[in-house]
Amino acid sequence: MRVGRPGPQQQELGIRIPRPLGHGPSRFIPEKETVQVGSEDAMMHALFADSFATLGRLDNVTLVMVFHPQYLESFLKTQHYLLQMDGPLPLHYRHYIGIMAAARHQCSYLVNLHVNDFLHVGGDPKWLNGLENAPQKLQNLGELNKMLAHRPWLITKEHIEQLLKTEENSWSLAELIHAVVLLTHYHSLASFTFGCGISPEIDCEGGHTFRPPSVSNYCLCDITNGYHGVDDIHASPAASIPTTESVCEVEALMEKMKQLQECRDEEEASQEEMATRFEREKRESMFVCSSEDEESAPTRDVSRHFEDTSYGYKDFSRHGMHVPTFRAQDYSWEDHGYSLVNRLYPDVGQLLDEKFHIAYNLTYNTMAMHKDVDTSMLRRAIWNYIHCMFGIRYDDYDYGEINQLLDRSFKVYIKTVVCTPEKTTKRMYDSFWRQFEHSEKGQTTLPPLPLLTTPSAPQVHVNLLLVEARMQAELLYALRAITRYMT
């Protein structure tokens, strides 16, 4: 059916024509910087086709992730396997667990997508009235869900035992691994959704309006809300030609990286000093908080999908509570978690491992106007800072490098997106790495992918690091508890 401009006959019939509420797939990224469907190259077109075949739609997450096609390909493959391929859990359970996980961060965008998918695969609509209406087996998962989302360091083998030995509502080990991977996947995807300001699609709740457009394309209510046009909504203090100050910031960061590398080559800190620097960084991370740090009560539509709505993120060692440091050398993804997942849920360990590696190693060897730059030191600092916030320590890493490479505004953004993503604002997004707004224009040596040359590519890249570092941290705590239960 084709719907044209509303005419007299349509008005008489009472037909209301929806219009998109936002402009483009992201509230943070100007629409002109995102790919326009129909103008993509062959590689992007193949990814879009895969996404459409898998999800039945081309969603806004895909349209933003395509800034980095290699990662998007791995992400889509993993998500497809988790949701649709053979596995321990029935299809409707998978989507319901996705709803539970996204709801913990009040991510109505993901909740609404999976409500539709849950119903599409035959899920019972009564379950959507609240978690108390779902089977007891899923209700029992609520405790693990909230700890994984907000305080994964509290998970013990006793929590695992309660799920595996609950008489008729017990989980098998394979089912639990599948559930844990789904929970961590959607907690992390909620971080990406908020971190990149993903907008709902026009056919989703919050993605459209029935207000008639005015001659100037916005109406009085837009003006009173401070919106004066498409360009105004994406105005950014740094969205102009790079200033001398921003160029100096880039060069200062590169100089720090060079000095740190020289220090590494000259002398290596003792293990005692490395441990001290980790504890100092972990302690300092507790005092990094956003200016928008205020409690926000979840709406009923979202909160009905989980219990204990007051339970949220608390810093690792606040108020004198001490939790032993998680030493990556004692339990790591590469040596322990990967094999456990692959044994109980075949192929998923391999898919996750590939996704982790792509995000961690993704680079175009550029930094603003500079080419052939080794950014591995910066990427490792971001990854290890996130794990440090979760209490995970790498014995071979000097945590003194983090304060040298990550400024406070960047730390605020990282901590907000990873720990309380629902509090992320456009101001935070605009404030970090402002010097990189034009960082990759015309400076990639890859096949011509226009999105890699846009100002927003670095910020999206950062969000991929945050998503995967967070997911791996959650997985490590859950898988370690499962391993301890098994042994």
Side-chain angles (χ1 to χ4, degrees):
M1 175 174 140
R2 202 174 103 190
V3 179
R5 188 180 298 277
Q9 185 179 6
Q10 289 174 324
Q11 290 174 355
E12 288 173 11
L13 293 173
I15 297 175
R16 298 195 301 164
I17 308 299
R19 293 188 302 111
L21 201 56
H23 299 274
S26 166
R27 293 177 291 109
F28 297 170
I29 303 171
E31 186 176 15
K32 62 185 178 183
E33 290 182 18
T34 60
V35 69
Q36 303 302 309
V37 177
S39 65
E40 71 275 7
D41 63 16
M43 182 180 183
M44 289 181 188
H45 183 80
L47 287 171
F48 287 166
D50 287 345
S51 177
F52 190 86
T54 300
L55 304 173
R57 58 182 175 268
L58 188 56
D59 64 9
N60 286 340
V61 167
T62 298
L63 290 175
V64 172
M65 275 189 187
V66 81
F67 272 103
H68 302 285
Q70 184 187 9
Y71 175 85
L72 176 59
E73 182 178 18
S74 177
F75 172 86
L76 291 174
K77 189 163 53 173
T78 303
Q79 184 168 262
H80 175 68
Y81 198 98
L82 292 175
L83 292 177
Q84 298 186 25
M85 299 296 284
D86 288 343
L89 294 174
L91 297 184
H92 62 302
Y93 264 52
R94 304 180 196 192
H95 290 292
Y96 197 83
I97 290 170
I99 293 169
M100 290 173 62
R104 283 265 32 138
H105 283 307
Q106 305 169 38
C107 189
S108 55
Y109 173 83
L110 292 176
V111 168
N112 290 333
L113 286 182
H114 285 281
V115 162
N116 292 333
D117 290 339
F118 171 77
L119 295 173
H120 181 71
V121 297
D124 187 343
K126 292 179 183 176
W127 297 11
L128 301 175
N129 293 329
L131 185 58
E132 67 276 8
N133 295 290
Q136 187 63 45
K137 183 172 180 174
L138 284 168
Q139 292 183 44
N140 293 345
L141 195 64
E143 184 76 8
L144 185 64
N145 180 28
K146 77 176 185 181
M147 286 191 294
L148 272 174
H150 307 298
R151 309 175 202 175
W153 48 85
L154 298 180
I155 298 172
T156 66
K157 66 177 183 180
E158 284 72 31
H159 293 112
I160 303 303
E161 185 174 16
Q162 287 173 10
L163 290 168
L164 297 175
K165 292 189 173 181
T166 319
E167 302 299 329
E168 71 219 44
N169 297 309
S170 65
W171 293 74
S172 70
L173 269 172
E175 288 175 331
L176 185 57
I177 289 289
H178 194 170
V180 163
V181 174
L182 283 167
L183 289 172
T184 58
H185 175 80
Y186 282 103
H187 294 156
S188 302
L189 191 53
S191 283
F192 183 86
T193 300
F194 284 114
C196 288
I198 301 297
S199 301
E201 291 82 20
I202 188 173
D203 59 331
C204 295
E205 185 177 335
H208 60 266
T209 178
F210 289 103
R211 288 198 313 256
S214 67
V215 174
S216 56
N217 206 33
Y218 55 87
C219 60
L220 186 60
C221 49
D222 291 319
I223 299 172
T224 57
N225 286 325
Y227 168 50
H228 303 289
V230 177
D231 295 333
D232 190 50
I233 200 168
H234 288 303
S236 167
S240 56
I241 297 172
T243 63
T244 303
E245 180 185 0
S246 67
V247 170
C248 291
E249 288 174 353
V250 174
E251 293 180 347
L253 180 56
M254 291 180 63
E255 182 60 29
K256 285 180 184 177
M257 291 166 61
K258 179 182 176 183
Q259 291 172 358
L260 288 170
Q261 186 59 56
E262 290 172 352
C263 289
R264 278 183 186 175
D265 296 338
E266 289 174 7
E267 60 177 326
E268 188 173 322
S270 66
Q271 280 299 310
E272 292 77 10
E273 177 60 24
M274 299 269 261
T276 300
R277 291 175 184 176
F278 168 78
E279 292 298 331
R280 185 186 303 129
E281 188 59 50
K282 185 174 73 172
R283 190 166 56 250
E284 288 180 3
S285 75
M286 295 188 304
F287 300 103
V288 173
C289 57
S290 68
S291 56
E292 289 85 359
D293 193 12
E294 56 187 36
E295 295 299 321
S296 54
T299 63
R300 166 62 186 161
D301 282 348
V302 172
S303 65
R304 63 184 169 186
H305 299 299
F306 63 92
E307 299 170 320
D308 198 355
T309 57
S310 63
Y311 192 94
Y313 170 78
K314 296 292 182 187
D315 283 307
F316 188 78
S317 300
R318 273 272 173 98
H319 311 302
M321 179 183 72
H322 178 70
V323 181
T325 293
F326 187 125
R327 296 179 71 251
Q329 275 64 23
D330 296 336
Y331 196 94
S332 69
W333 167 256
E334 292 80 6
D335 297 333
H336 306 91
Y338 168 82
S339 58
L340 177 61
V341 172
N342 243 20
R343 188 165 84 246
L344 294 171
Y345 190 8
D347 298 328
V348 170
Q350 180 65 40
L351 289 169
L352 293 175
D353 192 61
E354 176 186 292
K355 190 158 62 77
F356 291 148
H357 276 89
I358 289 173
Y360 186 87
N361 296 311
L362 186 63
T363 182
Y364 307 108
N365 297 310
T366 62
M367 189 170 281
M369 68 297 301
H370 301 278
K371 299 180 183 179
D372 302 318
V373 180
D374 181 0
T375 61
S376 58
M377 182 181 291
L378 186 57
R379 284 179 278 119
R380 191 179 186 194
I382 295 169
W383 188 280
N384 286 1
Y385 179 62
I386 295 164
H387 280 202
C388 178
M389 291 191 302
F390 283 89
I392 300 171
R393 180 192 166 207
Y394 296 87
D395 289 349
D396 61 347
Y397 182 69
D398 182 356
Y399 287 84
E401 294 184 2
I402 289 175
N403 273 340
Q404 298 291 317
L405 299 174
L406 311 182
D407 63 27
R408 183 169 181 80
S409 65
F410 194 12
K411 285 183 173 181
V412 167
Y413 181 79
I414 290 173
K415 185 171 182 180
T416 304
V417 171
V418 170
C419 300
T420 53
E422 61 276 12
K423 296 179 181 178
T424 308
T425 65
K426 187 173 187 298
R427 185 187 307 146
M428 291 179 192
Y429 181 89
D430 287 339
S431 69
F432 87 90
W433 274 12
R434 292 195 303 174
Q435 65 271 33
F436 286 79
E437 282 290 303
H438 293 263
S439 66
E440 293 176 348
K441 286 191 174 179
Q443 299 192 29
T444 175
T445 55
L446 294 174
L449 295 172
L451 288 181
L452 299 179
T453 68
T454 65
S456 297
Q459 282 91 334
V460 176
H461 184 183
V462 166
N463 273 279
L464 301 183
L465 276 172
L466 307 192
V467 163
E468 297 305 330
R470 177 193 175 164
M471 182 174 184
Q472 190 179 99
E474 286 190 29
L475 277 174
L476 284 173
Y477 277 107
L479 297 176
R480 184 181 67 169
I482 292 173
T483 300
R484 287 177 172 175
Y485 166 80
M486 293 170 65
T487 56

